[in-house]
Amino acid sequence: MTVESTAPRTPRRSAAGKAGTTRKTGTRAAAAAEKKKTGTDPELVQLLTPEGERVANAEYDKYVADITPEQLRGLYRDMVLTRRFDAEATALQRQGELGLWASLLGQEAAQIGSGRALRDDDYVFPTYREHGVAWCRGVDPTNLLGMFRGVNNGGWDPNSNNFHLYTIVIGAQTLHATGYAMGIAKDGADSAVIAYFGDGASSQGDVAESFTFSAVYNAPVVFFCQNNQWAISEPTEKQTRVPLYQRAQGFGFPGVRVDGNDVLACLAVTKWALERARAGEGPTLVEAYTYRMGAHTTSDDPTRYRLDDERAAWEAKDPILRLRAHLLTQTGPNHTDEGFFQELEAESEALGRRVREAVRAMPDPDRFAIFENAYADGHALVDEERAQFAAYQASFTDAEGV
């Protein structure tokens, strides 16, 4: 099974609206047809088609062979609630309650599938978009919002859930993950580490260094790249001349491309990669081929660089609708009825209300805390700056009293 072409995209030309948009759909369609004809597209692992049909895969079926109807519903619930939380956070930013937000819209299957493949003793190093993985690790969604509201530096204890704090520096977490994996290997633990990053981060030197160290030291780490097609406004073809998963070959470990909108395939492939790591077989690169249906962050305007028809094509592959279709085609009392979806809708609404209330109730941070963590033993210059800041703050109080 092959992936559709990612031929060069023509950006929108006019701010006046759709009438000013230049489209070269004929050229792109011809390129896609040529790739399909010549067979140059790389294959990807897929267990659920976009229509929700289960397809067999001799290599990966065994990793989901024992999945129960209850677990299938659980995966669907995970994706629905994660999307609702994400939508609520985006709305809160638009209302001025958050300074910024990085949406995962469209990437739910990649995150939930890989997140549910993890054991409790595995350790996760995320970027700043892994809200679904955080959900799988038991991190309260409201704790993800403190940093984006500017009231704390993270919001949770990484060791409580084996889920590291969000990393804003692009690609840096892959080095952290590799070092941690090398450490647990020396300790003799049989757990694994997973590092998340995007297609844009794959161009960072940190990622290449991580690949080198993990391969040489046979580190038990899975590199999980969510290829959502756009590194902010740069398409994937401007990031690499070969499919991203093939980069692993040059470092001496396996890579695999999985349908990132197929939660079952992401679950199966990640289980396989984690088992390799725990068995001492070294690192794996998983490329989850998916799509960012929203903006890069709430400060981005994707209509300036990509076409409406591109998003529409990917919406037809929506990960949640795909699993819903699969659930609805199953028969028997242990599968899904309309009551399940109604209850989930009510739970989703309740989650949205809880998130809104929690964000607005977050206390402001101690304004002077920044000075307490600069030097362990204090410093005269910091003391001077603290005094200056205190005087500046006091000036507002004086002005209000006049």
Side-chain angles (χ1 to χ4, degrees):
M1 200 163 295
T2 58
V3 184
E4 73 173 37
S5 170
T6 53
R9 300 157 170 88
T10 303
R12 299 168 75 95
R13 301 297 185 187
S14 171
K18 292 183 179 179
T21 301
T22 300
R23 287 180 169 83
K24 295 184 179 179
T25 53
T27 302
R28 294 175 63 188
E34 179 63 22
K35 271 199 167 187
K36 186 174 182 180
K37 180 177 69 176
T38 58
T40 55
D41 272 334
E43 292 187 353
L44 82 167
V45 179
Q46 186 181 82
L47 302 181
L48 284 180
T49 68
E51 296 73 31
E53 180 185 354
R54 180 72 165 85
V55 291
N57 185 294
E59 186 172 359
Y60 292 101
D61 274 347
K62 61 184 177 182
Y63 294 98
V64 293
D66 59 350
I67 195 166
T68 66
E70 181 181 7
Q71 289 171 327
L72 279 175
R73 291 193 297 271
L75 292 172
Y76 183 82
R77 173 181 176 270
D78 288 339
M79 290 195 291
V80 167
L81 293 181
T82 298
R83 179 172 290 188
R84 176 50 192 268
F85 161 71
D86 180 68
E88 201 65 46
T90 299
L92 285 165
Q93 193 282 329
R94 298 306 191 201
Q95 296 161 11
E97 301 290 350
L98 303 178
L100 187 74
W101 184 248
S103 173
L104 60 58
L105 183 62
Q107 299 178 220
E108 294 88 355
Q111 295 194 17
I112 298 300
S114 61
R116 289 304 181 194
L118 294 160
R119 290 190 332 205
D120 289 345
D121 59 335
D122 294 331
Y123 205 98
V124 179
F125 287 86
T127 65
Y128 45 79
R129 201 188 301 275
E130 273 66 60
H131 320 314
V133 185
W135 173 270
C136 293
R137 300 305 280 176
V139 177
D140 190 301
T142 61
N143 289 343
L144 302 178
L145 301 174
M147 179 179 67
F148 294 97
R149 189 171 171 83
V151 301
N152 60 44
N153 295 320
W156 64 92
D157 178 2
N159 294 322
S160 296
N161 307 78
N162 278 11
F163 185 81
H164 201 266
L165 295 176
Y166 276 0
T167 301
I168 305 298
V169 178
I170 306 299
Q173 72 280 359
T174 60
L175 284 172
H176 306 158
T178 300
Y180 192 94
M182 291 166 61
I184 62 173
K186 289 183 178 295
D187 290 341
D190 70 341
S191 54
V193 177
I194 188 167
Y196 290 88
F197 60 100
D199 48 295
S202 69
S203 296
Q204 293 289 101
D206 288 5
V207 175
E209 292 168 9
S210 302
F211 287 179
T212 297
F213 270 84
S214 63
V216 171
Y217 289 94
N218 208 46
V221 58
V222 175
F223 296 106
F224 195 92
C225 175
Q226 293 172 83
N227 179 2
N228 64 21
Q229 312 304 314
W230 289 94
I232 307 183
S233 59
E234 288 297 310
T236 306
E237 59 262 24
K238 291 189 177 181
Q239 298 282 329
T240 180
R241 293 290 297 275
V242 299
L244 292 177
Y245 78 96
Q246 292 182 4
R247 288 183 173 182
Q249 298 177 15
F251 293 88
F253 56 88
V256 60
R257 173 179 278 187
V258 61
D259 185 338
N261 286 18
D262 177 352
V263 69
L264 280 186
C266 290
L267 176 66
V269 168
T270 309
K271 278 187 174 182
W272 163 77
L274 290 167
E275 286 185 10
R276 286 191 74 257
R278 298 189 196 106
E281 297 178 23
T284 306
L285 172 60
V286 176
E287 178 194 356
Y289 198 81
T290 182
Y291 191 74
R292 166 171 57 80
M293 288 200 284
H296 173 69
T297 69
T298 47
S299 64
D300 171 43
D301 179 8
T303 65
R304 295 175 63 85
Y305 55 82
R306 69 185 189 190
L307 303 177
D308 293 339
D309 58 352
E310 178 180 288
R311 171 169 169 149
W314 278 93
E315 284 177 341
K317 307 172 188 177
D318 185 288
I320 294 179
L321 296 180
R322 182 181 306 203
L323 184 55
R324 183 187 179 100
H326 178 69
L327 287 169
L328 290 173
T329 60
Q330 305 303 301
T331 59
N334 293 326
H335 281 87
T336 308
D337 57 22
E338 191 58 34
F340 166 74
F341 297 112
Q342 293 175 355
E343 291 175 5
L344 183 56
E345 178 64 24
E347 186 180 5
S348 174
E349 289 299 316
L351 175 62
R353 288 193 298 272
R354 183 168 75 86
V355 169
R356 289 194 299 274
E357 293 168 359
V359 165
R360 291 165 180 161
M362 286 180 177
D364 290 335
D366 178 4
R367 296 175 180 178
F368 294 90
I370 188 173
F371 300 104
E372 305 306 321
N373 299 308
Y375 289 92
D377 300 321
H379 193 284
L381 180 58
V382 174
D383 294 339
E384 180 182 347
E385 291 172 342
R386 183 191 294 107
Q388 291 174 348
F389 184 70
Y392 174 71
Q393 293 293 316
S395 69
F396 292 101
T397 304
D398 293 342
E400 291 171 358
V402 173

